[in-house]
Amino acid sequence: MADAEGTIEVRANEAGSSSRSSEYELGDTFSVDSSITQYRIENGRRYHAYKDGLYWAPNDERQNENLDISHHKYLLCLDHKLVLAPIDDNIERALDIGTGTGIWAIDFADEHPNTEVIGTDLSPIQPSLVPPNCRFEIDDATDEWTYPTNYFDFIHIRALFGSIQDWTALYAQAFKHLKPGGWIEHVEGSIEIKCDDGSLAADNPLRTFTDLFAQAGAINGQIFNVTDIMMPKIREAGFVNTVEQVFKVPLGGWPADVKLRELGQWALLGFDTGLEGYSLATLTRVLGWSPTQVHVFLAQLRVAVRDRRTHSYHEIKVVYAQKPLQ
C-alpha cells in the first residue's frame, strides 16, 4: 500500500478518461433484552436503542454490510493483517471496542484460539455462531469500565470517528485496564478527501463533504477528524513505544498499481454503500438539513466520487503503543 509520503501513480488510461465510471469491478454491560432491540426508525433507517442517539450510524442490514466491506478494505490496506502491534500469539485476553458486526473480533479469535476475545458495542448485531473463545457484550465504552484493572493484553479500536466526546478519558480507561506491557491499537480513516495532482477542485462536493462533517463534530463535540489527535492523546495517556503508520487509500480504480487499484475499488464500494448511513443522522440531527436536502447532496457526491478524472484518496492511520511494564 502507498504510505503517506508517496504519490499514487495514476493508471495510464485514467488521466484523460471520461467522467463516467463503473467501479464495482469487484457504561454497564447488558445482555440482550427487548428494550435493547426496540430500535429507532428514522428517515427509513434503523438505529440503536441502547443509549439512543449517541451514535450516528444505522445498525440495519444495509449498514452492517457496509461494515463488513470496510473490514475487507482495512485488511487490504494492512496487507491482510488484523493487527500491526507486535503482540504475542498466545495472549490471554483481547478487547475490541465498538465491534460492530463483530467481524474483526471473530477473525482475531480464529487466529488466536487460546485468547479470550470480547467485543463490545451499543447494538446487538453480532452473529450467534462465533468461535468458542469469542463473546459480545452490549456496552458503552464511554461509561466507566467494569473490567478489572490490568486485565487485557490487547485493546483494539477501529472506525469510531464521530462517536466519542472525550478521547482522553477513553484512552485513560484503556491504559487502566491493560496489563503492564499490553498493547493498544487504534485504526481510523481520515474524513479529509485529498488528491496529489490538483484534480480535486476546491468546489468539488467531496471537499464539501469533509467540511460538513468537521462542522458537525465541532457542534456536538464528537469529532470526525480523529486521526489528528490519536498519536498525541495516546501518548498523553501514558503509553510508550508509540508507532504511527499512515496509508493512502484511493477512492476508485484509478491507480496504476494493481494492489492499490483493488483497494480503491473496495474503498469506493464502501463509500457508496455507507454514504447514506454516514450522512442522514449527522446532517439532519446536527446540521438541521431535511432528508431531501441530504439525498440531493448524496447524489452529487456519488457523481463526484465516480469521476475518473479526479484522483481522490483519503488516509487510514494506525497508531499502536504499549503500557509501560512498570
Side-chain angles (χ1 to χ4, degrees):
M1 300 303 102
D3 60 32
E5 299 302 319
T7 298
I8 302 175
E9 183 181 350
V10 180
R11 202 170 160 191
N13 62 351
E14 293 291 315
S17 63
S18 76
S19 62
R20 296 180 61 83
S21 174
S22 57
E23 292 297 347
Y24 299 121
E25 301 167 16
L26 289 173
D28 288 325
T29 302
F30 292 86
S31 61
V32 178
D33 61 26
S34 60
S35 66
I36 302 240
T37 56
Q38 290 176 354
Y39 301 119
R40 177 207 288 232
I41 305 298
E42 180 180 292
N43 296 320
R45 302 302 298 267
R46 190 188 75 187
Y47 296 86
H48 64 94
Y50 175 56
K51 300 293 186 79
D52 182 25
L54 185 65
Y55 183 52
W56 48 268
N59 68 358
D60 52 27
E61 287 304 314
R62 290 164 61 189
Q63 202 69 16
N64 295 346
E65 179 184 13
N66 174 258
L67 292 178
D68 291 347
I69 291 169
S70 295
H71 177 68
H72 186 67
K73 177 191 73 173
Y74 285 114
L75 287 180
L76 289 175
C77 182
L78 305 183
D79 198 24
H80 298 278
K81 296 175 182 177
L82 291 170
V83 177
L84 296 187
I87 62 172
D88 294 333
D89 289 337
N90 292 313
I91 59 173
E92 188 176 6
R93 298 184 191 89
L95 174 66
D96 184 30
I97 298 173
T99 195
T101 62
I103 190 168
W104 182 92
I106 292 168
D107 284 356
F108 187 86
D110 281 335
E111 283 192 3
H112 300 79
N114 296 320
T115 302
E116 178 188 0
V117 182
I118 301 172
T120 65
D121 202 272
L122 294 174
S123 292
I125 55 175
Q126 303 78 31
S128 55
L129 296 176
V130 299
N133 58 320
C134 180
R135 76 173 191 268
F136 298 109
E137 299 173 349
I138 308 306
D139 194 22
D140 178 3
T142 64
D143 288 340
E144 189 70 24
W145 294 10
T146 57
Y147 306 109
T149 58
N150 303 321
Y151 188 66
F152 294 103
D153 301 274
F154 180 59
I155 294 178
H156 178 258
I157 305 170
R158 189 175 75 182
L160 289 188
F161 56 94
S163 307
I164 305 296
Q165 285 198 335
D166 190 346
W167 281 102
T168 297
L170 184 64
Y171 290 141
Q173 293 219 75
F175 187 89
K176 176 182 177 181
H177 294 278
L178 273 172
K179 296 176 183 177
W183 291 86
I184 184 174
E185 181 165 308
H186 190 175
V187 184
E188 289 288 345
S190 171
I191 64 165
E192 184 179 1
I193 299 175
K194 303 179 177 181
C195 77
D196 290 333
D197 60 3
S199 61
L200 187 64
D203 60 351
N204 191 294
L206 293 170
R207 292 198 186 275
T208 307
F209 176 81
T210 296
D211 293 341
L212 288 171
F213 278 80
Q215 292 173 30
I219 290 171
N220 67 7
Q222 297 175 193
I223 61 171
F224 285 85
N225 54 335
V226 181
T227 54
D228 294 342
I229 57 94
M230 290 160 57
M231 178 73 119
K233 291 289 186 183
I234 286 174
R235 283 177 169 167
E236 181 184 308
F239 289 98
V240 297
N241 299 325
T242 310
V243 175
E244 178 184 271
Q245 295 189 35
V246 184
F247 304 88
K248 289 184 177 181
V249 178
L251 291 172
W254 58 265
D257 180 85
V258 174
K259 288 186 177 180
L260 283 171
R261 191 184 314 152
E262 181 185 7
L263 174 61
Q265 289 160 354
W266 280 96
L268 178 61
L269 178 61
F271 184 86
D272 186 68
T273 57
L275 187 56
E276 182 183 283
Y278 300 151
S279 305
L280 261 176
T282 300
L283 297 183
T284 57
R285 295 178 193 172
V286 182
L287 297 185
W289 287 29
S290 71
T292 299
Q293 287 175 302
V294 174
H295 285 292
V296 169
F297 178 59
L298 299 189
Q300 296 169 351
L301 276 173
R302 289 190 170 99
V303 171
V305 77
R306 287 187 176 88
D307 188 339
R308 297 176 80 111
R309 299 168 299 183
T310 301
H311 307 132
S312 58
Y313 68 89
H314 78 125
E315 294 174 345
I316 286 178
K317 182 175 291 187
V318 182
V319 176
Y320 59 87
Q322 189 176 30
K323 182 174 178 176
L325 290 171
Q326 294 183 345

